[in-house]
Amino acid sequence: MNAPKTIKTAIIVAGPTCSGKSALALDLARRFNGTIINADSMQVYRDLRILTARPDDADEAAAPHRLYGVLDAAVPGSVAWWRSEALREMEEAWAVGRIPILCGGTGMYLRALTDGLVEVPDPGDAARTEARGLAEEIGPEALHARLTEVDPETASGLRPNDTQRISRAWEVWTGTGHGLAWWRSQPGLPPAPCRFVSVQLDPEREGLRRAIDFRFGQMLEAGALEEVSSLLERGLDPVLPAMRAHGVPELTAVLRGEESIEEAQKSAVLSIGRYTRRQATWFRHHALGKEGDAMISLRRYTHYAQDSESHYEKIENFISERVDAVAVSS
């Protein structure tokens, strides 16, 4: 009989913005001796603690939190960068007997771990400069039309007003000679060397909308306008991801005297609501895991933090059955 070995296991807590992921991840970290690893593409920026609803000091004192506020707003994050950092943090957690808990709503980040990732070559500074220049000169819709002519497969998966992703697609096509869709079809980096147990939250629409509105009001009271003012003082490139975070364009309009604070809140809540619909649709169509992993999807409830008592026992039992019994014979 061979000696028992431990299967490396990680927990995923995923779902749309404002669905209560952070509260659930913290409860699970206390129960399963976990280290919470950020899987939200905006919460990596240290300049946006308020507007991205990063965990507060009390939460960070209750359980280890990693990859929150680690990038300057001037540095564009990427899925490849995040995957490398997340794997490093996961290994460090396992090394000290903790379970990594990946918490966030950026599906492409999470799938880079569960399914692997194709590495796209650096298109070069010239291609980046051209893409940004065109996006500013002719606008995202016109650039999307050009992309459709040369790389229709990639263009078909992009919204015509998504400046950041259209610029990225154009620079990759220009700088590498192949489109993003082509690169993504090539062999790439393997999935993370572990088993995943995933919890995907999917609240009902009206309850989520109320939660978004309430949270944005809290952000304003906590100093979100001042946070955006400090960010604008840096004079950063407006196409950087941090400059396009939810709430930043709307509060920028307030600071420029173009909108009232009430109008900005209404616009931001509507924008975040549309984004959460896209997130929810994505998660419904993309299982976070591979064969042998486990997943539970909780749907049609108001909000985890509000309904935690009725839902936590179900989630805990589901995870306990899979995490507490990880010792097997090799």
Side-chain angles (χ1 to χ4, degrees), residues 95-265:
V96 295
R98 304 188 71 93
I99 292 181
I101 300 175
L102 297 134
C103 175
T106 304
M108 291 301 294
Y109 276 21
L110 293 166
R111 286 199 75 183
L113 290 179
T114 62
D115 295 12
L117 178 69
V118 173
E119 289 189 288
V120 179
D122 184 353
D125 290 338
R128 273 189 288 273
T129 300
E130 176 185 329
R132 290 186 182 185
L134 282 172
E136 184 174 347
E137 178 184 349
I138 67 176
E141 290 85 359
L143 186 56
H144 183 268
R146 291 192 185 184
L147 184 68
T148 300
E149 294 177 1
V150 298
D151 183 15
E153 188 176 1
T154 299
S156 66
L158 300 175
R159 290 180 291 115
N161 62 348
D162 193 334
T163 305
Q164 180 184 341
R165 288 182 171 82
I166 292 169
S167 297
R168 170 62 175 164
W170 185 265
E171 73 182 38
V172 169
W173 181 83
T174 302
T176 70
H178 292 287
L180 274 171
W182 184 89
W183 282 111
R184 289 168 178 161
S185 69
Q186 307 306 301
L189 299 172
C194 67
R195 182 182 65 173
F196 288 101
V197 179
S198 300
V199 179
Q200 294 185 199
L201 306 180
D202 189 8
E204 54 91 13
R205 297 303 316 160
E206 183 56 31
L208 187 59
R209 190 204 64 77
R210 290 194 300 269
I212 293 168
D213 191 30
F214 179 73
R215 176 188 280 182
F216 202 84
Q218 288 184 310
M219 290 174 174
L220 291 174
E221 293 178 2
L225 192 63
E226 292 77 11
E227 186 172 73
V228 173
S229 178
S230 297
L231 188 62
L232 293 178
E233 288 175 1
R234 300 186 58 188
L236 300 177
D237 189 332
V239 304
L240 285 167
M243 301 300 293
R244 296 169 56 80
H246 292 301
V248 172
E250 292 84 0
L251 294 182
T252 295
V254 173
L255 292 167
R256 291 175 176 167
E258 300 167 356
E259 284 190 2
S260 68
I261 195 71
E262 293 79 14
E263 291 170 330
Q265 178 168 353

Side-chain angles (χ1 to χ4, degrees), residues 195-199 288-296 318 322:
R195 182 182 65 173
F196 288 101
V197 179
S198 300
V199 179
L288 292 173
K290 51 190 180 294
E291 186 176 354
D293 293 342
M295 181 182 72
I296 184 174
F318 170 81
R322 292 153 180 85

